[in-house]
Amino acid sequence: MYKIAVIPGDGTGPEVVAEGLKVLEAIASKKGFKYELANYDFGGERYMKTGEVLADSAIEELRGFDAIYLGAVGHPDVKPGILEKGLLLKLRFSLDQYINLRPVKLYPGVLSPLKDKGPEDIDFVVVRENTEGLYVGEGEFINKGTEEEVAIQVSRNSYKGVERCLRYAYEYTQKRNKEKKLTLCGKTNVLTYAWDLWERTFNKLAANYPDVKTDYAHVDATCMWMIKNPEWFDVIVTDNMFGDIITDLGAMIQGGMGIAAGGNINPEGVSMFEPIGGSAPKYTGKSVINPLAAICAAGMLLENIGEEEAGKAVEASVMKTTTQLKSLSAGKMGYSTQEVGDLVVKNLK
Ligand code: IPM
Ligand code: MN
């Protein structure tokens, strides 16, 4: 019996999570595994009512689950940063979810904005470090509000943090078994402290994975290649900030935020799965948002808790569903949010 915590969150989060849970229920009865859900109402509404984003006691509770399923955070009436930092980043950091795993895969029938590129060209995974770098929130203002002001924002990269992320990336590349090629995406030519450590550790670990081919690309060049030659990539490993940026680019080449999912993974603890697009407030309650990203996130969750077959079946069903939709964009799918969820259930094998 798996225990899954559900945080539907803000905006369209609850709508897409409902479709993910619909698919979960269907695949569980097909494959014969059992689970129980616990709902948590964290998000903008609760914050405005109670002033509390996430209690420490809730974090302790969440440690007891097999996985967390998250919709979206971000509320138009809450100052930007409060929910992002107080909920999403707080969960990632306190649960030590040090990997952010983001597949970039163009599914059949989906129109990529990249001319002449098809599903065989766009199929790679970004391993983003998820607990360090510029996201640690260290820094200071000097002479704030004056013309002499200086704002300092620290990127913290510990050997342990870098090493565990790279080790995960090497192992993931081996296991993925596509081209067994791991690309380090950094900025060694300018950021000569952080990327010196990353590059040294990357090269040192390479000796332990003789079957993995290694490559390096600066982050700016990575953006260029992702557009021009996405077929060159198998697994990309990078830091928190670069990973944030290149995975939005990745989402666009795979057909948009309607399909992009990710996992915040603690290989030794509890992991959290989410569609990577935001809460899309303007579409809330209209049944026009695409639930496929949330459904893909549910598929990743299943693989993570050990229901690999179920996870693969969900992905296969999504890959059939994408051939049936007019578009992946909100309001243009040719179906409502709930109908897309129904299609995925129907297409499950
Ligand atoms: C993401 C988001 C978050 C991030 C924000 C909401 C804090 O953009 O998951 O990529 O920057 O990591
Ligand atoms: Mn982002």
Side-chain angles (χ1 to χ4, degrees):
M1 180 77 119
Y2 300 108
K3 285 177 67 187
I4 301 171
V6 183
I7 309 176
D10 301 315
T12 51
E15 292 165 58
V16 295
V17 158
E19 299 315 302
L21 294 177
K22 193 194 266 178
V23 174
L24 189 65
E25 196 182 322
I27 192 69
S29 78
K30 269 200 176 16
K31 301 281 173 192
F33 64 87
K34 293 207 161 19
Y35 61 92
E36 56 184 32
L37 301 175
N39 200 70
Y40 288 87
D41 66 348
F42 304 124
E45 296 296 334
R46 177 183 164 130
Y47 170 71
M48 286 189 297
K49 259 185 248 143
T50 67
E52 184 179 77
V53 182
L54 185 62
D56 289 338
S57 59
I59 293 176
E60 288 318 307
E61 244 177 83
L62 288 170
R63 287 185 206 283
F65 285 87
D66 293 298
I68 303 168
Y69 188 39
L70 175 72
V73 296
H75 194 290
D77 301 332
V78 178
K79 205 176 126 211
I82 293 184
L83 299 168
E84 291 86 340
K85 277 193 179 166
L87 188 55
L88 186 59
L89 297 184
K90 187 154 179 197
L91 285 172
R92 288 178 183 170
F93 279 67
S94 17
L95 299 174
D96 206 19
Q97 294 163 339
Y98 60 87
I99 298 297
N100 196 324
L101 192 67
R102 297 188 161 180
V104 177
K105 188 165 171 180
L106 182 66
Y107 287 140
V110 179
L111 218 51
S112 169
L114 301 186
K115 180 161 77 66
D116 303 332
K117 300 291 177 190
E120 62 290 353
D121 303 307
I122 301 175
D123 180 12
F124 60 92
V125 177
V126 177
V127 174
R128 165 187 175 189
E129 201 289 324
N130 211 30
T131 52
E132 292 198 331
L134 279 166
Y135 277 67
V136 293
E138 274 178 46
E140 63 177 319
F141 295 111
I142 300 168
N143 300 322
K144 189 173 181 186
T146 74
E147 295 205 345
E148 303 306 314
E149 177 162 354
V150 178
I152 297 173
Q153 192 88 46
V154 173
S155 174
R156 172 173 291 277
N157 299 263
S158 69
Y159 171 72
K160 283 186 180 152
V162 167
E163 197 269 347
R164 67 183 183 174
C165 173
L166 289 170
R167 193 155 28 89
Y168 181 93
Y170 272 106
E171 278 162 21
Y172 187 85
T173 307
Q174 253 179 353
K175 205 174 129 224
R176 185 168 198 255
N177 200 20
K178 195 191 168 203
E179 284 164 49
K180 291 203 186 173
K181 177 179 166 190
L182 179 61
T183 303
L184 177 68
C185 161
K187 193 71 186 173
T188 54
N189 53 351
V190 178
L191 307 178
T192 50
Y193 295 105
W195 290 99
D196 189 89
L197 172 61
W198 275 87
E199 193 175 41
R200 267 185 287 124
T201 315
F202 184 71
N203 292 338
K204 185 175 114 183
L205 283 181
N208 302 336
Y209 306 92
D211 54 333
V212 175
K213 294 183 275 294
T214 58
D215 195 8
Y216 172 83
H218 294 318
V219 62
D220 46 351
T222 302
C223 290
M224 184 173 75
W225 301 132
M226 276 172 67
I227 302 298
K228 194 169 179 290
N229 295 99
E231 67 279 4
W232 286 357
F233 296 115
D234 177 3
V235 180
I236 299 177
V237 61
T238 191
D239 78 354
N240 211 339
M241 186 76 258
F242 293 167
D244 179 45
I245 298 166
I246 70 169
T247 54
D248 266 29
L249 181 60
M252 287 304 125
I253 68 171
Q254 72 180 126
M257 285 302 181
I259 192 81
N264 301 276
I265 294 176
N266 175 344
E268 297 89 35
V270 53
S271 302
M272 175 168 75
F273 297 84
E274 53 171 344
I276 79 173
S279 56
K282 68 174 177 184
Y283 296 127
T284 305
K286 299 201 160 84
S287 294
V288 294
I289 196 82
N290 187 344
L292 288 180
I295 294 170
C296 289
M300 290 180 76
L301 181 154
L302 288 170
E303 290 210 27
N304 181 266
I305 60 176
E307 293 296 331
E308 292 219 353
E309 241 186 67
K312 292 216 158 62
V314 169
E315 189 187 22
S317 168
V318 168
M319 286 169 75
K320 170 139 193 230
T321 307
T322 53
T323 65
Q324 300 169 326
L325 303 189
K326 281 205 193 112
S327 153
L328 295 188
S329 303
K332 299 179 183 153
M333 300 184 291
Y335 297 93
S336 70
T337 304
Q338 292 72 26
E339 285 167 345
V340 174
D342 293 340
L343 272 177
V344 176
V345 168
K346 200 168 141 216
N347 292 332
L348 275 176
K349 288 252 159 58

